[in-house]
Amino acid sequence: MTAALADRRPEPTLDRLLADLVPPPRFAQARLETYRPDPEHPSQQQAKERITAFAAELSRPRKAGLLSRLRRQSTEARGIYLDGGFGVGKTHLLTSLFHAVPGKRVYGTFVEYTDLVGALGFQRAVDLLGESVLVCIDEFELDDPGDTLLMTRLIRELSDRGVAVAATSNTLPEALGEGRFAAQDFLREIRSMSERFDVLRIDGEDYRRRDGIREIAALPTDQVREHAAAREGATLDSFDDLLDHLATLHPSRYGALIDEVTAAHVTGLHVLTHHHHALRFVVLVDRLYDREVPMLLSAEDDAAVVPTLFTEELLRSGYRKKYYRSLSRLASLAHDGLALAEEPTAR
């Protein structure tokens, strides 16, 4: 019987959480030299040049001595904030920065850092991360005001220790939280965080669309099931069962959920109407995309493509950029799954 993601209940250890604070497999080989700016959008080349200069600044040896340490502790470290639409290369540049800087540095998504703080406690997490030259935060999001306040406080503490911080998001720092939460304390925290960063706006078209990948390819349900049964390390889930299972797991466990999965097969994709299901599925797609795990999908009525996944209401909401990014990534994973389906498989 083919394994199902819905049957897994991972319990990642603290050591696992720490070991995961590195760029994901999809970007393990990303370097500044391999970032290809689109000549139609000069901001991409400008961002590459600024990241290159920032890496050089962080790579200079730091002077030893008490006076130097005191100066570092009393001076806010400069940070880089990469803003732009999905698929313009923000994560590629962030991981390239990680690889270009010597010494201790850490890399994780927003949710990975909040989970680390939950596991260690705030002060211990600050002490641990405060030993780094650079902390990279990918996908800075605002799903929860409490988590966002926690992260802004973490950034301030790290900056005060002389740690450089680089982050990506789809929204400018000054606009974080607009239209979602009205609390004045929350907005004040966001504004204080924005002052820690040099903001680099990156324009451009989703590079996945440049490669001609625009639709979420789907296969007949029977073919998806047969392929799952024939492939070593594959999983097979119905869409509804998978959504119900994701609701029982903290999103920080979604990475461990797909350990050793060679291809994820999901049947019966249909439109999502509520944020609670949609946002969890977005996180799972992100983890599958990071791990380069192909997806073989079937849609309701066995359509050749998934006609829509999120309602117009969701796509107009404050999370719309998340949803559009997920659609782009899901189309890429389904394209990989389509190619995989054409190869011979064997258990």
Side-chain angles (χ1 to χ4, degrees):
M1 183 176 177
T2 306
L5 293 176
D7 293 333
R8 298 184 172 195
R9 298 201 63 84
E11 298 284 348
T13 64
L14 178 57
D15 287 343
R16 167 64 188 272
L17 295 176
L18 295 174
D20 281 348
L21 291 180
V22 295
R26 180 175 290 274
F27 296 98
Q29 303 304 316
R31 299 294 186 275
L32 287 166
E33 296 78 16
T34 61
Y35 179 73
R36 297 178 296 155
D38 186 343
E40 297 294 322
H41 299 279
S43 61
Q44 295 187 15
Q45 178 63 33
Q46 293 165 4
K48 178 178 179 179
E49 292 172 357
R50 181 65 186 94
I51 290 291
T52 301
F54 191 57
E57 293 170 16
L58 297 180
S59 299
R60 295 191 190 106
R62 294 186 176 187
K63 295 180 180 180
L66 177 61
L67 183 58
S68 176
R69 289 197 298 272
L70 289 174
R71 284 175 178 168
R72 286 214 315 269
Q73 291 172 356
S74 63
T75 303
E76 293 179 2
R78 281 186 295 170
I80 292 286
Y81 185 99
L82 300 176
D83 174 73
F86 47 88
V88 296
K90 301 187 302 295
T91 299
H92 188 129
L93 287 171
L94 186 66
T95 52
S96 296
L97 175 64
F98 176 94
H99 292 301
V101 174
K104 184 175 180 180
R105 60 267 193 266
V106 293
Y107 179 103
T109 62
F110 181 89
V111 70
E112 286 174 321
Y113 286 111
T114 56
D115 190 58
L116 183 69
V117 172
L120 293 176
F122 183 82
Q123 193 56 52
R124 189 178 172 196
V126 170
D127 292 340
L128 177 68
L129 298 175
E131 299 173 357
S132 306
V133 175
L134 171 69
V135 170
C136 297
I137 306 171
D138 199 18
E139 302 168 8
F140 197 104
E141 302 288 0
L142 290 178
D143 297 341
D144 181 271
D147 283 347
T148 305
L149 292 173
L150 177 70
M151 285 299 292
T152 57
R153 181 186 170 199
L154 180 67
I155 288 170
R156 287 198 308 273
E157 295 272 356
L158 294 176
S159 295
D160 290 343
R161 295 189 181 208
V163 179
V165 179
T168 72
S169 184
N170 292 327
T171 311
L172 289 170
E174 292 83 359
L176 291 177
E178 286 185 5
R180 303 211 195 156
F181 312 109
Q184 291 303 310
D185 288 344
F186 174 77
L187 294 176
R188 184 175 63 250
E189 291 289 339
I190 296 302
R191 293 190 187 101
S192 70
M193 185 199 75
S194 69
E195 295 172 358
R196 310 263 170 158
F197 293 92
D198 291 335
V199 177
L200 304 180
R201 172 72 190 185
I202 307 177
D203 301 302
E205 182 185 9
D206 182 356
Y207 76 91
R208 289 173 285 265
R209 287 182 174 266
R210 279 189 263 161
D211 293 336
I213 302 171
R214 295 178 178 272
E215 295 180 321
I216 302 173
L219 295 166
T221 299
D222 288 345
Q223 185 177 354
V224 173
R225 290 173 176 161
E226 290 169 4
H227 189 274
R231 183 173 179 82
E232 187 72 31
T235 58
L236 173 64
D237 293 87
S238 75
F239 192 40
D240 286 331
D241 286 347
L242 180 58
L243 293 174
D244 288 343
H245 185 58
L246 294 179
T248 70
L249 298 176
H250 189 277
S252 63
R253 300 183 184 183
Y254 291 6
L257 181 69
I258 61 172
D259 279 352
E260 300 179 2
V261 174
T262 62
H265 300 67
V266 183
T267 61
L269 262 72
H270 57 77
V271 64
L272 295 171
T273 59
H274 299 290
H275 287 300
H276 56 274
H277 279 321
L279 289 171
R280 293 187 191 106
F281 188 64
V282 164
V283 176
L284 179 64
V285 169
D286 285 342
R287 299 292 80 80
L288 290 165
Y289 183 80
D290 287 344
R291 302 278 189 88
E292 300 181 297
V293 179
M295 296 189 74
L296 286 85
L297 310 170
S298 75
E300 286 186 326
D301 302 322
D302 277 346
V305 297
V306 178
T308 184
L309 190 60
F310 306 114
T311 63
E312 287 299 320
E313 181 181 2
L314 295 185
L315 291 176
R316 289 193 302 266
S317 72
Y319 301 109
R320 60 188 177 277
K321 290 185 178 180
K322 260 188 168 184
Y323 294 143
Y324 279 115
R325 182 194 67 206
S326 185
L327 290 172
S328 172
R329 290 183 168 185
L330 188 60
S332 180
L333 293 176
H335 177 79
D336 294 342
L338 200 61
L340 193 64
E342 297 173 354
E343 299 176 359
T345 58
R347 279 232 180 246

